[in-house]
Amino acid sequence: MAMLTNALSWVRSLQVRHFTHQQEVPEKYREDGILTGYRLSNQPWRYYIGSLFQIHNETLNVWTHLIGLFIIWYALGQYFLIYDWWTDKDSWPMLTFGICCSLTHFLSSVAHLLHSKNLYVHHLVFMIDFIGVVLFAFGTGVLAMYSCSDKEMYMILRPFFLYVLAFLTWFNHAFFCFALLCFSGGPQVVKRRALQVAALLVEVVLIFIPFFPRYYKCFVNPDCSLRSFDHITLTFPAFGAQAFFFLSQIPERFFPGKFDIVGHSHQIFHICATIAQLLQMRAVHQDIQNGVSSHAQPDLSAMLTVLAILICCSIGSICVLQNYIPCSLKKGKTK
């Protein structure tokens, strides 16, 4: 009983005791249409850790990613019952993708949980969060090349695809961080997000190249139905929905203050991301079963090595770019 009492006291000590209005927090914390539920700045770390169990405007941003993480792990566990991750080369792209998605969810949940500490931490944790964001794109590219690609296009791209994909991923991360430094908070958020989506579109074009010939060959073949690609095509609306809610800030944009806690666009964006990831794994599973990826020769050690180097390079970018966080913001970093 004494241990239970002490545990409850510890949990109560973690609890967030006060939230504040949009006008009472720095502009860089503000989101259009989100008027209340902001956490106080410059509080002890336990204040923000404890906010995981409190109701504020970041609660569901954190939990949609944490729940998404466990959903991805569950899905990987189900595929683990089908494939031998250690010897089945067809499953290696999905394993790499699963690692990327796990990092996406974990890093984003940490960023949303801790960013209100102060403006320096705000910038730093979102730079780290961007590693997860671009790794989602990297993992998608791995699936496109090694699980869903057209055979002839695969042979053309094979010598350099993985390295070009990694470079574009690193570049996008650096660009995301730069955009954060230049356009952060208030009305500038939309401009920053538009630039980030535009940068990702270049990588999206590269990701489309390996498997798009399959659609073309089917289109010109009277004996082939495009419905045979529905398992892949279903992922497109999920990606479109992510971009829409990420950029539009709907519904809170039209109903300020009504979706501060539940239902605002960034929460929906997170849910769409998880749905897209599940649809991607489902599509890859179906292509494997259909023998589509039999021509591919994925190298697990090469993919994981490139992934590790990519993460290290992105961390290096953060180490450089964090020096350009305005000095006025750095003053609060040790509080």
Side-chain angles (χ1 to χ4, degrees):
M1 181 63 70
M3 291 180 62
L4 178 60
T5 302
N6 291 335
L8 291 174
S9 298
W10 181 77
V11 170
R12 282 194 293 269
S13 73
L14 292 176
Q15 290 181 348
V16 175
R17 292 177 291 278
H18 186 251
F19 306 119
T20 190
H21 192 274
Q22 183 191 67
Q23 298 302 319
E24 298 173 359
V25 298
E27 183 181 15
K28 291 182 181 293
Y29 290 173
R30 299 175 191 171
E31 296 283 348
D32 287 346
I34 307 297
L35 304 183
T36 62
Y38 291 89
R39 290 167 295 174
L40 302 175
S41 300
N42 299 312
Q43 302 299 306
W45 283 110
R46 65 182 185 181
Y47 173 97
Y48 304 99
I49 296 172
S51 71
L52 177 64
F53 306 105
Q54 301 300 305
I55 304 300
H56 50 84
N57 61 28
E58 290 283 11
T59 302
L60 289 184
N61 281 339
V62 176
W63 280 102
T64 47
H65 268 312
L66 288 178
I67 294 172
L69 174 62
F70 288 112
I71 289 174
I72 294 300
W73 284 354
Y74 175 79
L76 288 173
Q78 295 301 301
Y79 290 119
F80 181 78
L81 300 176
I82 301 173
Y83 304 108
D84 184 345
W85 296 120
W86 303 113
T87 60
D88 190 344
K89 69 178 181 63
D90 290 336
S91 71
W92 292 344
M94 189 187 296
L95 177 60
T96 304
F97 179 73
I99 294 171
C100 292
C101 291
S102 297
L103 288 170
T104 299
H105 288 292
F106 175 73
L107 294 177
S108 187
S109 63
V110 171
H112 283 289
L113 183 65
L114 301 179
H115 77 91
S116 296
K117 170 69 172 173
N118 56 55
L119 287 171
Y120 179 82
V121 170
H122 174 86
H123 285 73
L124 188 62
V125 295
F126 278 119
M127 287 181 179
I128 296 172
D129 172 36
F130 293 156
I131 295 178
V133 173
V134 298
L135 286 184
F136 182 10
F138 177 80
T140 298
V142 168
L143 293 185
M145 179 62 177
Y146 297 105
S147 296
C148 303
S149 60
D150 171 76
K151 183 177 180 179
E152 286 74 20
M153 185 58 70
Y154 172 83
M155 295 304 176
I156 294 171
L157 299 176
R158 181 180 177 182
F160 57 85
F161 180 87
L162 186 63
Y163 307 108
V164 174
L165 178 68
F167 173 78
L168 283 178
T169 303
W170 167 80
F171 176 84
N172 279 338
H173 174 259
F175 184 82
F176 276 32
C177 293
F178 177 77
L180 177 66
L181 292 172
C182 296
F183 308 102
S184 180
Q188 296 190 86
V189 169
V190 174
K191 184 181 295 186
R192 184 190 83 220
R193 290 178 177 176
L195 289 172
Q196 291 170 333
V197 170
L200 271 179
L201 285 177
V202 177
E203 191 166 1
V204 168
V205 171
L206 177 67
I207 292 170
F208 262 82
I209 292 174
F211 68 87
F212 186 76
R214 292 174 59 192
Y215 278 87
Y216 175 75
K217 290 177 180 179
C218 183
F219 180 75
V220 298
N221 183 353
D223 297 324
C224 180
S225 171
L226 289 175
R227 293 294 303 274
S228 63
F229 297 116
D230 280 356
H231 58 294
I232 297 175
T233 307
L234 278 173
T235 64
F236 301 160
F239 284 116
Q242 286 182 74
F244 174 79
F245 286 107
F246 184 70
L247 291 172
S248 68
Q249 297 183 293
I250 292 174
E252 69 272 11
R253 178 179 170 190
F254 296 115
F255 303 96
K258 301 299 184 182
F259 297 94
D260 291 356
I261 307 301
V262 179
H264 62 74
S265 59
H266 207 75
Q267 297 166 0
I268 302 172
F269 162 65
H270 287 180
I271 294 170
C272 290
T274 301
I275 292 172
Q277 291 162 356
L278 293 174
L279 289 173
Q280 287 175 270
M281 288 192 284
R282 175 180 173 271
V284 166
H285 170 61
Q286 187 165 333
D287 270 357
I288 292 174
Q289 297 300 305
N290 294 337
V292 172
S293 61
S294 59
H295 60 270
Q297 297 295 322
D299 184 331
L300 182 61
S301 61
M303 290 187 294
L304 294 183
T305 298
V306 171
L307 176 61
I309 293 172
L310 174 58
I311 293 172
C312 290
C313 290
S314 297
I315 292 173
S317 297
I318 293 173
C319 292
V320 173
L321 291 172
Q322 63 91 26
N323 292 315
Y324 294 92
I325 297 175
C327 294
S328 59
L329 303 186
K330 290 185 179 182
K331 292 178 181 178
K333 69 179 180 180
T334 59
K335 293 182 180 180

